Amino acid sequence: MLMKRLNLPIPSEEELTQLMAENDFDENGSLDYAEFRKGLLSLGIVLSDEEFVALIDVLDNNRDGDIDYDEFLEDLGMRSGFLMDPLESVV
């Protein structure tokens, strides 16, 4: 699990929903990668570039360059994909 391996706080689903709402600066219902990374930082979650890219590979299901609300909740909240270690799944 990525968050446990990095000894980082595991955000609740409420925090993840708040992250989405507070960081969707252009209010298009999705977070571009910069908005998403800024949101993670606001939760105290600091990832290396390699870890961030691996996480994005897991989260951006349709590869459109944005994390939309449905992808976000599916992968981060309900499936707990955020807690998995995407670097392990690449092997």
Side-chain angles (χ1 to χ4, degrees):
M1 295 181 142
L2 179 62
M3 301 307 289
K4 286 184 180 181
R5 183 173 60 81
L6 297 174
N7 197 29
L8 295 172
I10 298 173
S12 67
E13 189 169 339
E14 183 177 309
E15 288 174 312
L16 296 173
T17 301
Q18 184 177 352
L19 180 150
M20 180 72 178
E22 290 178 355
N23 292 283
D24 184 13
F25 298 112
D26 55 10
E27 299 181 357
N28 67 350
S30 65
L31 299 179
D32 63 31
Y33 296 165
E35 290 171 327
F36 184 63
R37 192 161 203 170
K38 183 174 182 175
L40 292 175
L41 290 172
S42 74
L43 292 175
I45 300 170
V46 179
L47 301 175
S48 70
D49 289 342
E50 179 184 37
E51 291 164 337
F52 184 75
V53 168
L55 181 60
I56 289 299
D57 285 345
V58 171
L59 297 179
D60 189 5
N61 300 325
N62 62 8
R63 305 288 186 241
D64 67 352
D66 290 323
I67 308 300
D68 67 39
Y69 191 69
D70 292 333
E71 287 175 323
F72 188 78
L73 288 184
E74 178 183 344
D75 288 330
L76 301 185
M78 298 179 171
R79 283 192 356 209
S80 297
F82 190 62
L83 307 179
M84 295 168 44
D85 190 338
L87 298 177
E88 290 178 7
S89 64
V90 174
V91 181

